[in-house]
Amino acid sequence: MSRLLNPFARPGRWYRGVWHCHTTESDGARSVDDVVAWYADRGYDFLAITDHNRVTAPPRSADTLALVPGVEVDAGRTGVGTAFHILGIGLREMIDVPRESAARHALPAQTVVDRLRAAGAAVFIAHPYWSGVTADDLLPLRDVAGIEVYNANVEEDIGKGYSGIHWDDCLARRHPLLGAANDDSHWKFADHGKGWTMLRAETLTPESVTVGLAAGSFYSSTGVTLDDVTFDGETAAVRVAGPGAREVRFVSDTRWGSRVRAEGTPLREALHTLRGRERYLRIEVMGPDGAMAWTNPLFVER
């Protein structure tokens, strides 16, 4: 068993952020200033603008937000012929990619990942379900931190925002990807304020956000707040803040795992003891209103 980072056991505090969104510099409907102001006014702590195939310059002043450079590159070809959408968060400068889409899509996805990593970025694959990405496409990629398990834009648009099966397919094959939630806001319909990351860090800087995302020092949410997650190697426990939970799912490979449902009053805590055959374990929490939270895997058997 190889344990992954449990941010609840780390020093520091929680910071709320989004690191996939767009502006009028690519295909978003709001300006950079408007996007930054929207998130700042609602108490977010950090933000990465990820316009397509370019690093968008931040506004001159954003005192209440840590702004992290980011980009979304569409490149390569999946097994079904679609392009990967690759997020680079915290890169020092824009990488070299062809401007023409046909040339970018002829470029291997791994080449783009390697260039983003060389530029200092944490790398995630955006909205796998929407992109037509499968486990067969994800498994060969090296140095990818994770995928978006939830993407608000594509969920609101066509209902393909949840990529949990893609995540589980990789984890069951002992490929320890992280799972993130993001708005991917384009501002053309209600795709903003619906998916975010809770990052655990001692300080909030673009560098600490990049390091924390790459290491898995976060959980993801669409509205559920987690108070604590513990794992002693045998038993996992989760405590839920606020109104509690309608149910908690301890998700593992094949038929292993468990589902704990509230009976009457919402759950504030749930436990799961391993049976000894699991290859990984992660936790999903559903709130009374249907909002969700996802932990990263607590372990992945090597």
Side-chain angles (χ1 to χ4, degrees):
M1 179 188 297
S2 177
R3 294 198 198 187
L4 277 69
L5 176 65
N6 182 358
F8 291 86
R10 301 276 293 178
R13 54 157 290 193
W14 293 105
Y15 296 100
R16 182 188 184 197
V18 160
W19 40 276
H20 186 183
C21 69
H22 299 276
T23 75
T24 50
E25 296 297 307
S26 65
D27 59 345
R30 293 193 185 186
S31 69
V32 175
D33 287 346
D34 286 348
V35 169
V36 171
W38 193 92
Y39 284 104
D41 290 347
R42 285 155 182 79
Y44 287 73
D45 300 301
F46 65 93
L47 177 70
I49 293 169
T50 50
D51 282 323
H52 293 278
N53 306 304
R54 59 168 293 156
V55 175
T56 295
R60 295 175 191 163
S61 176
D63 295 337
T64 62
L65 271 177
L67 296 178
V68 186
V71 67
E72 180 177 2
V73 180
D74 58 294
R77 288 291 185 188
T78 69
V80 297
T82 55
F84 292 84
H85 284 235
I86 305 169
L87 297 169
I89 310 302
L91 68 171
R92 292 184 292 271
E93 58 186 1
M94 182 55 194
I95 63 170
D96 180 26
V97 293
R99 296 186 64 180
E100 295 298 322
S101 61
R104 274 198 317 279
H105 297 168
L107 194 67
Q110 186 64 57
T111 299
V112 175
V113 172
D114 292 344
R115 291 177 185 177
L116 288 169
R117 293 289 295 121
V123 178
F124 286 76
I125 304 300
H127 42 61
Y129 193 11
W130 182 90
S131 295
V133 175
T134 69
D136 287 341
D137 300 311
L138 292 167
L139 290 169
L141 294 177
R142 305 179 307 277
D143 296 323
V144 170
I147 66 170
E148 284 181 329
V149 66
Y150 181 81
N151 180 293
N153 173 268
V154 299
E155 180 63 25
E156 293 297 318
D157 188 17
I158 61 170
K160 283 192 170 184
Y162 180 56
S163 295
I165 292 177
H166 303 72
W167 196 13
D168 288 327
D169 281 350
C170 290
L171 294 176
R173 291 164 175 80
R174 307 178 189 185
H175 193 56
L177 292 175
L178 306 171
N182 270 309
D183 276 346
D184 188 12
S185 44
H186 287 69
W187 313 97
K188 298 169 185 177
F189 47 82
D191 60 356
H192 35 285
K194 295 190 173 182
W196 56 86
T197 290
M198 297 300 298
L199 178 76
R200 185 80 170 177
E202 294 186 81
T203 60
L204 184 63
T205 64
E207 294 76 18
S208 70
V209 171
T210 303
V211 169
L213 291 178
S217 189
F218 65 89
Y219 72 91
S220 300
S221 180
T222 66
V224 172
T225 301
L226 304 182
D227 271 343
D228 195 21
V229 173
T230 61
F231 178 59
D232 64 6
E234 294 184 359
T235 299
V238 59
R239 286 196 291 111
V240 187
R246 180 193 305 175
E247 64 179 67
V248 176
R249 305 165 189 163
F250 295 90
V251 182
S252 186
D253 49 301
T254 63
R255 64 188 179 89
W256 308 111
S258 63
R259 186 177 191 179
V260 184
R261 294 180 175 91
E263 298 181 3
T265 59
L267 293 165
R268 297 302 299 271
E269 185 175 24
L271 305 173
H272 173 80
T273 299
L274 299 181
R275 295 177 173 87
R277 301 186 183 184
E278 298 87 343
R279 291 184 176 179
Y280 70 91
L281 183 71
R282 63 180 183 85
I283 305 172
E284 296 184 349
V285 180
M286 179 181 287
D289 61 354
M292 296 288 296
W294 297 268
T295 74
N296 282 310
L298 300 175
F299 72 90
V300 176
E301 184 185 89
R302 298 289 188 175

